[in-house]
Amino acid sequence: MQLRAARTGALEGTLRVPGDKSISHRSLMFSALAVGESRIEGLLEGEDVLATAHALQKLGVEIARTGEGAWSVHGVGVGGLAEPADVLDMGNAGTGARLMMGLLAGHPFTSIMTGDGSLRSRPMARVMAPLARMGAAFTGRSGQRLPAAITGTRDLLPLAYQSPVASAQVKSAILLAGLHAKGETTVTEPLASRDHTERMLAHMGAAVASETGPDGALTVRITGRPELRPSSFLVPSDPSSAAFPVAAAAVTPGSRVLVQGVCVNPLRTGLFITLREMGAVITEQNQRSVGGEVVADLLVEGGELRGVDVPEGRAPSMIDEYPVLSVVASLARGTTRMRGLAELRVKESDRLAVMAEGLAACGATVEVENDDLIVHGSGGSALAGGVTVDARLDHRIAMSFLVLGGLADQPVEVLGAEAILTSFPGFVPLMNGLGARITEVGA
Ligand code: S3P
């Protein structure tokens, strides 16, 4: 599908974006580990999460959709998954694939896992290596890429793992394997990544404890083989999806947009902090607790923004938001330097290279220096646009360039825009409801 975004004026309106992708994957997987029925409301019904649901069904878990965003999962207990009769296809989802490997590590059978062209190119050694130390065996393509065979064991060993990256996927995969091992497993990461796994498993009755060191490193401990309680999950709206209307409104003077019910867990809100530093007015209203997470309505008032220096230490809390931030930066007054973005190279696409190339094609002045992305803003003047960008199987690239099209002189077209369905079904009508002009080419 090819979409075209044309220049818009101020954006205005109230909207709610779909459920959080991280929490949606986890609510399905963790429900599968409890004995009995869990219910989920507000589940993101995007392709990534549906791939996780299908994989769990192949592993013997009964899962049913009972209404819009409402799902019921009959869990089989920790260690209770069954050998799948077919390949597990995780689609585009790194979270689905890596967390599932953690689960499979504790089961004494072999599964074959694959994914789409993007997922098959992403590094899996970051989870396979520690899980192998716990006793699981992996045979992947060269570079430990998918498709891969995973053979787990009932006798998984606990592990004390020092992760080289701040990655919630790595942390969660090991914690999930640790649930299946006897004794205590610990993971230390250099900086805290999103903590949904810890919060949700603790809520279900697992013994999970976290402590932050003076250098900002986070250590999480989990005790294996608990009996998890089935639960009711209410999935809040995804801040990484809210990022698109928020960023588009923030950079368009005169805009006034209210995004309701957004998860504002402090490990997810780096973009909102950065936009405020750039001069955007973003107010959190009606803060409340939903399903163990803090949510708020975000009121965004657009204006002229200035470039800022985004420190490396903020990256874990806004890792998926750099593509759209770089679009905003291209319109700001002055230079924005986003530091320490090595992890962007191993996302659904090489986001550092793809954003730099696409922004330059649209008329922005961009540099990549080591792992930093440097964008020299236009000071509010529209970029030229008038180009077609390939989404490269990456939903956030597709949505970022559609936001850019709304700010450019000439329309921007995005090839492969169906990638958006992995995380944000309804993106086009929601954005158009605010005043965006996104249409399908050739429809
Ligand atoms: C996610 C963690 C992040 C993020 C991804 C979702 C998760 O990846 O980019 O979209 O749900 O755990 P990393 O763990 O690789 O940083």
Side-chain angles (χ1 to χ4, degrees):
M1 190 207 313
Q2 187 163 343
L3 294 178
R4 173 193 294 134
R7 180 125 194 222
T8 56
L11 300 177
E12 217 175 310
T14 298
L15 77 160
R16 188 176 281 273
V17 301
D20 186 74
K21 182 151 70 72
S22 295
I23 298 176
S24 293
H25 279 297
R26 286 165 174 78
S27 61
L28 287 168
M29 287 190 198
F30 301 175
S31 294
L33 303 183
V35 180
E37 186 188 6
S38 290
R39 288 184 171 271
I40 308 168
E41 278 178 55
L43 189 85
L44 165 64
E45 293 175 328
E47 288 170 356
D48 274 15
V49 175
L50 298 179
T52 287
H54 290 144
L56 288 169
Q57 285 169 329
K58 286 185 183 165
L59 291 159
V61 183
E62 246 180 73
I63 301 182
R65 184 176 190 266
T66 55
E68 204 186 316
W71 292 67
S72 145
V73 179
H74 284 269
V76 293
V78 172
L81 298 176
E83 184 187 72
D86 201 353
V87 172
L88 305 177
D89 184 350
M90 305 312 294
N92 189 251
T95 305
R98 296 194 177 114
L99 270 59
M100 191 62 84
M101 284 184 189
L103 285 186
L104 294 172
H107 290 83
F109 52 75
T110 297
S111 315
I112 314 283
M113 184 184 287
T114 191
D116 72 3
S118 158
L119 190 60
R120 280 184 275 114
S121 73
R122 296 180 68 183
M124 293 295 153
R126 52 178 56 201
V127 290
M128 288 179 178
L131 295 175
R133 281 170 56 190
M134 298 176 81
F138 297 88
T139 310
R141 284 196 303 132
S142 56
Q144 292 295 51
R145 289 172 209 266
L146 298 180
I150 302 140
T151 305
T153 167
R154 222 185 270 294
D155 301 315
L156 218 52
L157 298 169
L159 179 69
Y161 188 62
Q162 193 88 35
S163 173
V165 279
S167 159
Q169 294 179 359
V170 171
K171 174 174 66 178
S172 303
I174 296 163
L175 293 176
L176 289 175
L179 270 186
H180 294 77
K182 216 175 181 175
E184 188 179 79
T185 291
T186 66
V187 186
T188 300
E189 49 181 358
L191 284 172
S193 64
R194 64 193 68 192
D195 61 356
H196 308 301
T197 296
E198 297 93 300
R199 284 172 187 254
M200 294 168 74
L201 288 177
H203 172 71
M204 296 175 77
V208 194
S210 305
E211 74 199 64
T212 310
D215 53 352
L218 177 85
T219 299
V220 185
R221 301 171 188 284
I222 196 160
T223 306
R225 306 197 175 164
E227 182 147 333
L228 296 178
R229 282 190 296 270
S231 300
S232 293
F233 295 99
L234 200 49
V235 183
S237 290
D238 196 329
S240 298
S241 296
F244 296 98
V246 167
V251 73
T252 313
S255 294
R256 192 181 161 86
V257 166
L258 183 71
V259 194
Q260 294 176 317
V262 181
C263 175
V264 289
N265 177 320
L267 294 169
R268 299 290 301 278
T269 48
L271 174 74
F272 308 140
I273 292 169
T274 305
L275 289 174
R276 286 192 190 105
E277 286 176 359
M278 296 176 87
V281 181
I282 303 176
T283 330
E284 281 183 20
Q285 302 179 337
N286 193 14
Q287 233 194 49
R288 56 215 186 261
S289 169
V290 169
E293 294 283 356
V294 183
V295 309
D297 303 333
L298 299 180
L299 177 65
V300 190
E301 291 163 280
E304 278 176 19
L305 305 184
R306 54 184 176 271
V308 291
D309 198 303
V310 188
E312 181 172 2
R314 197 176 291 161
S317 70
M318 56 177 295
I319 192 66
D320 293 333
E321 283 65 77
Y322 286 102
V324 78
L325 176 65
S326 65
V327 169
V328 169
S330 72
L331 271 293
R333 184 170 303 282
T335 297
T336 296
R337 185 175 195 123
M338 293 160 256
R339 296 179 186 271
L341 304 189
E343 278 295 296
L344 285 204
R345 299 186 194 275
V346 291
K347 293 295 176 187
E348 285 83 332
S349 67
D350 176 346
R351 289 180 176 163
L352 199 49
V354 174
M355 285 313 299
E357 192 185 303
L359 282 169
C362 289
T365 313
V366 188
E367 295 164 66
V368 176
E369 220 176 79
N370 301 318
D371 294 328
D372 295 355
L373 179 60
I374 304 157
V375 180
H376 303 286
S378 69
S381 329
L383 300 184
V387 297
T388 300
V389 177
D390 190 327
R392 319 241 187 145
L393 297 176
D394 189 333
H395 51 134
R396 300 202 202 279
I397 296 296
M399 290 185 278
S400 296
F401 281 105
L402 291 170
V403 168
L404 180 50
L407 301 161
D409 260 339
Q410 295 301 315
V412 171
E413 295 191 2
V414 173
L415 262 176
E418 61 277 3
I420 294 169
L421 296 175
T422 61
S423 72
F424 197 163
F427 170 78
V428 173
L430 279 176
M431 291 300 289
N432 285 348
L434 300 175
R437 291 165 60 212
I438 306 173
T439 49
E440 192 172 340
V441 178

